[in-house]
Amino acid sequence: MFRSGQSIGILPPGENEKGKPHKLRLYSVSSPSKGEGGNPNYVSTTVKRANEEVDGVFYTGICSNYLSNLKPGDELSITGPSGKRYLLPSNADEFNYVFFATGTGVAPFRGMIMELIEAGHKGQIVLIFGCPYRTDLLYKSYFESLEKEHDNVHYIKMISREDRRSDGSKKYVQTAIEDYDELLAPILASDNTLVYLCGMKGMQTGIYEQLAKKGYTDYLTAKGEAAEKDPSEWTWEDLKTSVKPSDRTFEEVY
Ligand code: A2P
C-alpha cells in the first residue's frame, strides 16, 4: 500500500555526464492510500517539467522530463514506498488540518485531502497553495469544487507574481496567516489542529515567523538560547537555526 505522504523512488534510465547511472529521485505519492480512483494497483505522483535557464545555462530536469514523456502503458521501475512520519494520523478524524504547499509540494495534500473527504471528515481542512502564476495552480478545479461542496474545506491561493498584498508585497503561503486571519485564527488556535508543510525550503522560516508572531507557538519548539526567549523576540537567525517543528507540525521541504 502506498500511503499519501509517502514517497516512491524513480530511477531515470541513462547516465549522467560522468558516465554514471542517474541517481534515484524521490516523488511524493499524490493518490489517496486506497489508490488512485480507489484502485490499490494505481499510484499517482505529481510531476512538473523542470526546464529552466539560470545565468544563461539551460537546465533540463532529467527525471521530470523522463516521466512527462512516458506514454500510457509504458513500463518503469519504482522503489518504496518510503516514509513513516509524514502521514495523516491513524485517528485522522479527530483533527483539523492546515496544509501549506508550494508548487508540486501539493502532491501529498491532494492524496490526504481525498482520503479525508472520502472518510466524511467533519473537521476543518485548509489548503494554502503558493505558486508564481495562475497557470501553476495544480489540481485547481478539484480543490475549487471541493471548497464549493464542503463548508469545512478552504482553498487559499497565494499567487506570488500576479497578485499583491494590500501593502504591495508578494503573496506567499506564510503571509496567508495574516491575510486570512479571520478564517485561520480559530483553526490555528484550536488544540486539535495539525500543520503540514510541503515544498520549497524557503517557506519554512517564513511560516515559523508568522506562527510565532501570532502566538501559535504550540506548532514550534525551540532549543538553546531561543528556548529562553519569548517567541515574540525570536530573531530570523533563531527561527532559522534553533526553532524546530513540534509534534503537531509535519514537514517535507527541499
Ligand atoms: P516567487 O518565485 O515569485 O518569489 P513553484 O514551485 O511552482 O516555483 O512555486 C514556488 C512558490 O513559492 C512561488 O510562488 C515562489 O514565489 C514562492 N516562494 C519563493 N520564496 C519563498 C519563500 N521564502 N517563502 C514562501 N514562498 C516562497
Side-chain angles (χ1 to χ4, degrees):
M1 188 164 99
F2 295 87
R3 294 185 61 186
S4 38
Q6 290 185 310
S7 301
I8 52 173
I10 296 176
L11 205 57
E15 295 170 345
N16 64 19
E17 63 284 357
K18 290 184 191 141
K20 296 252 168 66
H22 286 305
K23 290 204 181 90
L24 189 84
R25 267 74 164 181
L26 288 180
Y27 281 80
S28 289
V29 171
S30 60
S31 38
S33 303
K34 283 185 184 163
E36 187 68 31
N39 186 332
N41 296 323
Y42 291 165
V43 62
S44 304
T45 187
T46 307
V47 186
K48 190 176 161 185
R49 279 186 199 273
N51 293 328
E52 58 177 345
E53 197 185 313
V54 182
D55 300 331
V57 184
F58 195 74
Y59 293 93
T60 312
I62 302 290
C63 202
S64 67
N65 280 288
Y66 163 63
L67 289 174
S68 302
N69 291 337
L70 289 175
K71 309 242 171 350
D74 282 352
E75 288 191 12
L76 76 160
S77 302
I78 65 171
T79 64
S82 57
K84 290 196 175 74
R85 180 172 187 261
Y86 198 75
L87 301 166
L88 287 176
S90 52
N91 49 344
D93 58 332
E94 294 172 23
F95 299 94
N96 304 304
Y97 299 89
V98 179
F99 298 114
F100 290 92
T102 56
T104 50
V106 73
F109 306 146
R110 173 187 181 258
M112 288 179 185
I113 293 173
M114 281 183 160
E115 205 161 314
L116 291 167
I117 295 293
E118 273 172 31
H121 191 72
K122 296 280 178 293
Q124 299 294 315
I125 302 172
V126 185
L127 171 64
I128 304 170
F129 180 76
C131 61
Y133 304 102
R134 273 191 175 68
T135 47
D136 302 313
L137 287 164
L138 299 166
Y139 308 117
K140 172 173 171 272
S141 54
Y142 171 64
F143 292 125
E144 280 181 348
S145 65
L146 277 190
E147 188 182 39
K148 226 178 259 170
E149 289 159 22
H150 302 271
D151 289 344
N152 58 332
V153 177
H154 313 277
Y155 177 38
I156 298 178
K157 303 162 198 155
M158 304 305 280
I159 302 173
S160 59
R161 300 191 199 168
E162 289 186 23
D163 296 344
R164 282 285 172 269
R165 303 174 71 211
S166 53
D167 66 0
S169 64
K170 269 185 162 179
K171 285 194 171 185
Y172 276 166
V173 286
Q174 62 269 33
T175 68
I177 297 172
E178 198 171 313
D179 302 344
Y180 292 83
D181 179 62
E182 206 174 318
L183 167 73
L184 292 173
I187 300 174
L188 286 169
S190 161
D191 57 15
N192 64 335
T193 297
L194 303 178
V195 161
Y196 287 69
L197 277 59
C198 190
M200 61 185 306
K201 189 160 170 52
M203 72 172 159
Q204 194 180 31
T205 313
I207 291 174
Y208 293 177
E209 183 188 39
Q210 293 305 314
L211 289 172
K213 194 168 146 193
K214 291 274 182 195
Y216 306 128
T217 47
D218 288 352
Y219 300 100
L220 307 169
T221 54
K223 55 176 197 172
E225 274 179 32
E228 312 295 319
K229 291 188 194 170
D230 187 272
S232 63
E233 285 163 12
W234 284 338
T235 62
W236 187 255
E237 200 47 38
D238 290 333
L239 291 158
K240 232 172 128 173
T241 56
S242 308
V243 175
K244 305 285 167 202
S246 76
D247 57 0
R248 284 173 60 188
T249 305
F250 302 81
E251 298 184 340
E252 194 102 340
V253 291
Y254 34 84

